[in-house]
Amino acid sequence: MELEQIVNAHDKKLAQHDKELDRLNAMTLEMQKSMNEGLARVDESSRFLREQNTRQSEQNAEILRAVLNRNEKSDERNYELKLLDKSNMWKLILGIGASAGAVFAFVLELIKFFGNR
């Protein structure tokens, strides 16, 4: 009889352990499902961030190209302005020289005209 009680108690404990194992297995499956869903969200978020980073890199490259282009055009404009400034300086010098020569020639003619009288 005692052996039968021990066997029955053992059967109850085995059944209890089986239930506990089933509960733990279900909990493990639920945790695995939750982790998989979380990883899927993380993957989606990573994909979005990679795409956003790629677009940002493309925008940065465009901005850099625009700045470099603008700097190059600015340098060209500065060079052209310097050339124009030098050209205008020579034109001014030649204009002043020609004007001075014309005034000098006019004064000489006046001196000759009034000197002959």
Side-chain angles (χ1 to χ4, degrees), residues 54-76:
T54 301
R55 284 192 300 272
Q56 185 67 42
S57 294
E58 290 169 356
Q59 281 182 334
N60 288 345
E62 287 177 29
I63 290 169
L64 179 62
R65 276 193 299 273
V67 166
L68 291 176
N69 232 1
R70 184 175 180 193
N71 286 347
E72 185 177 309
K73 289 180 182 179
S74 176
D75 289 344
E76 287 175 8

Short mmCIF file of all heavy atoms in Angstrom, two decimals, residues 54-76:
data_model
loop_
_atom_site.label_atom_id
_atom_site.label_comp_id
_atom_site.label_asym_id
_atom_site.label_seq_id
_atom_site.Cartn_x
_atom_site.Cartn_y
_atom_site.Cartn_z
N THR A 54 21.45 57.53 -46.33
CA THR A 54 21.86 57.60 -47.74
C THR A 54 21.37 58.89 -48.37
O THR A 54 22.12 59.58 -49.06
CB THR A 54 21.30 56.38 -48.51
OG1 THR A 54 21.79 55.19 -47.91
CG2 THR A 54 21.70 56.43 -49.97
N ARG A 55 20.09 59.23 -48.12
CA ARG A 55 19.55 60.48 -48.67
C ARG A 55 20.31 61.68 -48.11
O ARG A 55 20.62 62.63 -48.84
CB ARG A 55 18.06 60.60 -48.37
CG ARG A 55 17.19 59.72 -49.26
CD ARG A 55 15.71 60.09 -49.13
NE ARG A 55 15.20 59.95 -47.79
CZ ARG A 55 14.69 58.85 -47.27
NH1 ARG A 55 14.63 57.76 -48.01
NH2 ARG A 55 14.24 58.82 -46.03
N GLN A 56 20.61 61.65 -46.82
CA GLN A 56 21.34 62.76 -46.19
C GLN A 56 22.73 62.88 -46.80
O GLN A 56 23.20 63.99 -47.06
CB GLN A 56 21.44 62.53 -44.68
CG GLN A 56 22.06 63.68 -43.94
CD GLN A 56 21.18 64.93 -43.98
OE1 GLN A 56 19.98 64.85 -43.83
NE2 GLN A 56 21.79 66.08 -44.19
N SER A 57 23.38 61.74 -47.05
CA SER A 57 24.71 61.77 -47.67
C SER A 57 24.64 62.36 -49.07
O SER A 57 25.51 63.13 -49.48
CB SER A 57 25.30 60.36 -47.72
OG SER A 57 25.55 59.88 -46.42
N GLU A 58 23.59 61.98 -49.82
CA GLU A 58 23.42 62.54 -51.16
C GLU A 58 23.20 64.04 -51.10
O GLU A 58 23.76 64.79 -51.89
CB GLU A 58 22.25 61.85 -51.87
CG GLU A 58 22.52 60.41 -52.24
CD GLU A 58 21.28 59.67 -52.70
OE1 GLU A 58 20.16 60.25 -52.65
OE2 GLU A 58 21.43 58.50 -53.10
N GLN A 59 22.39 64.49 -50.15
CA GLN A 59 22.15 65.93 -49.99
C GLN A 59 23.44 66.65 -49.62
O GLN A 59 23.73 67.72 -50.15
CB GLN A 59 21.10 66.18 -48.91
CG GLN A 59 19.69 65.97 -49.36
CD GLN A 59 18.70 66.28 -48.23
OE1 GLN A 59 19.03 66.20 -47.05
NE2 GLN A 59 17.48 66.63 -48.61
N ASN A 60 24.20 66.06 -48.71
CA ASN A 60 25.47 66.67 -48.31
C ASN A 60 26.42 66.78 -49.50
O ASN A 60 27.11 67.78 -49.66
CB ASN A 60 26.12 65.87 -47.18
CG ASN A 60 25.41 66.04 -45.86
OD1 ASN A 60 24.59 66.95 -45.70
ND2 ASN A 60 25.69 65.17 -44.92
N ALA A 61 26.45 65.74 -50.34
CA ALA A 61 27.30 65.77 -51.52
C ALA A 61 26.86 66.87 -52.48
O ALA A 61 27.68 67.59 -53.05
CB ALA A 61 27.29 64.40 -52.22
N GLU A 62 25.53 67.02 -52.66
CA GLU A 62 25.01 68.08 -53.53
C GLU A 62 25.37 69.45 -52.98
O GLU A 62 25.76 70.35 -53.73
CB GLU A 62 23.50 67.96 -53.66
CG GLU A 62 23.04 66.80 -54.52
CD GLU A 62 21.52 66.69 -54.56
OE1 GLU A 62 20.83 67.73 -54.41
OE2 GLU A 62 21.03 65.57 -54.73
N ILE A 63 25.23 69.62 -51.67
CA ILE A 63 25.57 70.91 -51.06
C ILE A 63 27.04 71.21 -51.24
O ILE A 63 27.43 72.32 -51.58
CB ILE A 63 25.17 70.91 -49.56
CG1 ILE A 63 23.65 70.91 -49.42
CG2 ILE A 63 25.77 72.09 -48.83
CD1 ILE A 63 23.15 70.64 -48.02
N LEU A 64 27.88 70.20 -51.02
CA LEU A 64 29.33 70.39 -51.18
C LEU A 64 29.66 70.76 -52.62
O LEU A 64 30.45 71.67 -52.86
CB LEU A 64 30.08 69.12 -50.77
CG LEU A 64 31.59 69.16 -50.89
CD1 LEU A 64 32.16 70.24 -49.98
CD2 LEU A 64 32.19 67.81 -50.54
N ARG A 65 29.04 70.07 -53.58
CA ARG A 65 29.27 70.41 -55.00
C ARG A 65 28.85 71.84 -55.29
O ARG A 65 29.53 72.58 -55.99
CB ARG A 65 28.53 69.43 -55.91
CG ARG A 65 29.26 68.15 -56.18
CD ARG A 65 28.63 67.36 -57.33
NE ARG A 65 27.26 66.96 -57.06
CZ ARG A 65 26.90 65.86 -56.44
NH1 ARG A 65 27.80 65.04 -55.99
NH2 ARG A 65 25.63 65.58 -56.25
N ALA A 66 27.70 72.24 -54.74
CA ALA A 66 27.21 73.60 -54.97
C ALA A 66 28.16 74.63 -54.38
O ALA A 66 28.46 75.66 -55.01
CB ALA A 66 25.81 73.77 -54.38
N VAL A 67 28.65 74.36 -53.17
CA VAL A 67 29.59 75.30 -52.53
C VAL A 67 30.88 75.38 -53.32
O VAL A 67 31.40 76.48 -53.56
CB VAL A 67 29.85 74.87 -51.06
CG1 VAL A 67 31.03 75.60 -50.48
CG2 VAL A 67 28.61 75.11 -50.22
N LEU A 68 31.40 74.23 -53.73
CA LEU A 68 32.64 74.23 -54.51
C LEU A 68 32.45 74.94 -55.84
O LEU A 68 33.32 75.70 -56.29
CB LEU A 68 33.13 72.79 -54.73
CG LEU A 68 33.64 72.07 -53.48
CD1 LEU A 68 34.00 70.64 -53.81
CD2 LEU A 68 34.81 72.79 -52.86
N ASN A 69 31.30 74.70 -56.47
CA ASN A 69 30.98 75.37 -57.73
C ASN A 69 30.92 76.88 -57.53
O ASN A 69 31.44 77.65 -58.33
CB ASN A 69 29.64 74.86 -58.25
CG ASN A 69 29.71 74.40 -59.67
OD1 ASN A 69 30.77 74.44 -60.28
ND2 ASN A 69 28.60 73.94 -60.18
N ARG A 70 30.25 77.27 -56.46
CA ARG A 70 30.12 78.70 -56.17
C ARG A 70 31.48 79.32 -55.89
O ARG A 70 31.77 80.43 -56.36
CB ARG A 70 29.19 78.89 -54.98
CG ARG A 70 28.94 80.33 -54.67
CD ARG A 70 27.93 80.49 -53.58
NE ARG A 70 27.72 81.90 -53.32
CZ ARG A 70 27.09 82.38 -52.29
NH1 ARG A 70 26.59 81.55 -51.41
NH2 ARG A 70 26.95 83.66 -52.11
N ASN A 71 32.32 78.62 -55.13
CA ASN A 71 33.66 79.13 -54.85
C ASN A 71 34.47 79.27 -56.14
O ASN A 71 35.18 80.26 -56.33
CB ASN A 71 34.39 78.21 -53.87
CG ASN A 71 33.88 78.34 -52.46
OD1 ASN A 71 33.15 79.27 -52.15
ND2 ASN A 71 34.25 77.41 -51.61
N GLU A 72 34.33 78.29 -57.02
CA GLU A 72 35.07 78.33 -58.29
C GLU A 72 34.59 79.52 -59.12
O GLU A 72 35.40 80.26 -59.68
CB GLU A 72 34.85 77.02 -59.05
CG GLU A 72 35.66 76.90 -60.31
CD GLU A 72 35.45 75.56 -60.97
OE1 GLU A 72 35.57 74.53 -60.27
OE2 GLU A 72 35.15 75.55 -62.18
N LYS A 73 33.27 79.71 -59.19
CA LYS A 73 32.73 80.84 -59.95
C LYS A 73 33.14 82.16 -59.32
O LYS A 73 33.42 83.12 -60.03
CB LYS A 73 31.20 80.74 -60.05
CG LYS A 73 30.73 79.64 -60.97
CD LYS A 73 29.23 79.57 -61.04
CE LYS A 73 28.79 78.42 -61.94
NZ LYS A 73 27.33 78.32 -61.99
N SER A 74 33.17 82.20 -58.01
CA SER A 74 33.59 83.42 -57.31
C SER A 74 35.05 83.73 -57.63
O SER A 74 35.40 84.89 -57.88
CB SER A 74 33.41 83.24 -55.80
OG SER A 74 33.90 84.36 -55.12
N ASP A 75 35.89 82.70 -57.63
CA ASP A 75 37.30 82.91 -57.97
C ASP A 75 37.44 83.42 -59.40
O ASP A 75 38.24 84.32 -59.68
CB ASP A 75 38.09 81.61 -57.81
CG ASP A 75 38.28 81.21 -56.36
OD1 ASP A 75 38.07 82.08 -55.48
OD2 ASP A 75 38.62 80.04 -56.09
N GLU A 76 36.64 82.83 -60.32
CA GLU A 76 36.68 83.28 -61.72
C GLU A 76 36.24 84.74 -61.82
O GLU A 76 36.85 85.54 -62.53
CB GLU A 76 35.77 82.40 -62.58
CG GLU A 76 36.31 81.01 -62.83
CD GLU A 76 35.32 80.13 -63.59
OE1 GLU A 76 34.28 80.65 -64.05
OE2 GLU A 76 35.58 78.93 -63.71
#
